[in-house]
Amino acid sequence: MENPEKATVKAVLVGVDFGKGGFSASLEELELLARSAGAEPVQTVTAKRASPDAAYYVGSGKVDEIIQAVHLYGAEMVIFNHALSPAQQRNLEKRLDTSIVDRTSLILDIFAQRAKSHEGKVQVELAQLQHLMTRLVRGWTHLERQKGGIGLRGPGETQLETDRRLIGGRVKMLRSRLDRLQRQRETQRRSRNRSRTFSMSLVGYTNAGKSTLFNAMTKAGTYAADQLFATLDTTSRRVYIETVGNVVISDTVGFIRDLPHQLVAAFRATLEETIHADMLLHVVDASSDMRQEQIEQVNQVLEEIDAQKVPQLLVLNKIDLAGLEPGIDRNEEGRIRRVSVSAVTGAGLDLLRQAIAEFAADNAKVQKEGVEVKGTVPDPRWDATAS
């Protein structure tokens, strides 16, 4: 898929409602994903089913409807809001005679476009290759060029076997690179731990405003945009918090529902900044009707990377769009439940700094005395719909 700044590709979107709820919000998210990847959605085809069709995911009659939409709008691509099996993708490509992209491939493509650092590019390519190894619909001669011409077929070796061997070799090399990068990160973390620097990681659903909040707190000037997955590479900065001193805050990749497992696995080295943080600032889009579901999706990914036990402070962002006032909410025990801010206008950022200072002070007491101190340790399962 081409860069959106250069050209757009007309695409028909396809979504199947299995009756689980949140279908319309999921379709809106698919449109945002498609636009983020550089596609122009021209029509959306929906269906209701109890379970996916084995051959086409959608029924044969619905495939005919998709074909009509492709011809009517001159679409060059069909994007499914679901993960397709290799057989389903091949069957659809033959029947529709056009490019078929599933949700997993779409997200991988966006990640490939956005990765800027060496580590980010390595992680994305590893995830892509692991996904494509199950498909191998076309030849991967570009891999031979990357390996300096290596890859000439041996006697009796089929093209499929050659492709698998080439990709397998590159996957092994990329994993080796990631291992080295992970060791470098561990060295940096040990250095921070020796200096007893308090560390925080920003986590949250994609487009919740993490990078905007990061910039507002650190004046770092990192890339922030109203689009999905604007940030892929973890950026860390020191920031001074009154009564605490210097702390390290890290901006991380955003999460999304049905985040491809290959990406979670490939980005584990980056996401380990989250695991080793003293606290998580869980940024939530206050203006989203799906904020509770988004919180649950983020917590699911945190569990997958073993970061569910890291204390969270819920940061209700974009209050300027939601018509809310800045403030700090506490539970019956006096622990902070959430902080309401606007990273764009700066409203409530002084309260967020106050909440961080309160938590860091209590954390220091826990480290020194070895006992839990009642105060600011928040409930990570906060209900976003609560008043």
Side-chain angles (χ1 to χ4, degrees), residues 3-271:
N3 189 299
E5 296 179 358
K6 296 181 179 179
T8 56
V9 178
K10 291 182 178 180
V12 171
L13 309 184
V14 179
V16 181
D17 184 0
F18 294 108
K20 296 181 180 179
F23 179 64
S24 60
S26 179
L27 282 182
E28 290 176 9
E29 190 171 88
L30 177 65
E31 182 175 344
L32 283 173
L33 284 169
R35 292 189 186 280
S36 296
E40 178 192 352
V42 293
Q43 175 72 328
T44 300
V45 177
T46 61
K48 286 188 177 182
R49 294 184 62 90
S51 60
D53 178 74
Y56 298 109
Y57 201 92
V58 295
S60 183
K62 192 59 65 172
V63 173
D64 291 335
E65 186 178 333
I66 297 171
I67 292 174
Q68 292 176 4
V70 168
H71 291 161
L72 179 62
Y73 294 96
E76 306 154 80
M77 176 176 296
V78 176
I79 302 176
F80 275 72
N81 193 27
H82 314 276
L84 300 174
S85 71
Q88 287 168 337
Q89 183 170 348
R90 285 194 295 269
N91 292 339
L92 286 163
E93 286 180 340
K94 289 178 182 177
R95 182 85 180 270
L96 275 69
D97 192 27
T98 191
S99 177
I100 304 295
V101 176
D102 69 356
R103 185 183 176 89
T104 301
S105 298
L106 181 63
I107 294 175
L108 287 169
D109 187 85
I110 296 171
F111 271 57
Q113 291 184 33
R114 301 282 163 76
K116 294 294 185 283
S117 71
H118 172 64
E119 183 175 14
K121 290 176 180 178
V122 169
Q123 290 173 125
V124 171
E125 185 181 354
L126 177 59
Q128 285 181 312
L129 292 180
Q130 289 173 325
H131 177 62
L132 292 170
M133 278 186 77
T134 64
R135 306 192 177 238
L136 292 178
V137 177
R138 54 184 69 86
W140 297 100
T141 56
H142 63 288
L143 290 178
E144 298 177 22
R145 291 197 298 272
Q146 289 175 8
K147 291 172 73 75
I150 297 174
L152 296 176
R153 277 183 286 173
E157 187 175 29
T158 68
Q159 183 63 49
L160 181 61
E161 289 168 339
T162 303
D163 291 342
R164 289 193 183 279
R165 179 169 54 80
L166 287 168
I167 294 177
R170 188 154 182 85
V171 164
K172 184 177 180 181
M173 182 270 291
L174 291 172
R175 281 177 172 161
S176 177
R177 282 189 190 175
L178 280 182
D179 285 343
R180 289 198 300 272
L181 291 167
Q182 187 172 6
R183 287 195 293 272
Q184 291 173 9
R185 282 187 177 277
E186 289 173 352
T187 300
Q188 293 168 355
R189 272 196 296 269
R190 283 196 295 270
S191 176
R192 283 208 305 262
N193 290 339
R194 282 196 296 271
S195 65
R196 294 186 176 276
T197 304
F198 187 80
S199 63
M200 302 174 291
S201 283
L202 291 166
V203 299
Y205 209 76
T206 183
N207 207 31
K210 295 182 302 300
S211 294
T212 304
L213 181 61
F214 180 80
N215 287 334
M217 294 184 69
T218 66
K219 314 299 182 190
T222 58
Y223 181 66
D226 185 18
Q227 58 185 202
L228 303 186
F229 302 118
T231 300
L232 288 188
D233 302 308
T234 296
T235 304
S236 297
R237 291 287 187 275
R238 288 183 182 271
V239 61
Y240 181 81
I241 301 291
E242 193 172 350
T243 73
V244 178
N246 286 323
V247 301
V248 173
I249 181 170
S250 299
D251 188 17
T252 59
V253 62
F255 301 150
I256 197 169
R257 75 183 73 200
D258 302 322
L259 188 66
H261 177 73
Q262 299 97 325
L263 274 176
V264 176
F267 274 76
R268 188 178 183 90
T270 297
L271 293 173

Side-chain angles (χ1 to χ4, degrees), residues 201 268 271-278 280 302 305-307 310:
S201 283
R268 188 178 183 90
L271 293 173
E272 282 187 351
E273 288 293 330
T274 301
I275 301 173
H276 296 282
D278 292 307
L280 305 180
L302 291 175
I305 62 172
D306 298 324
V310 182

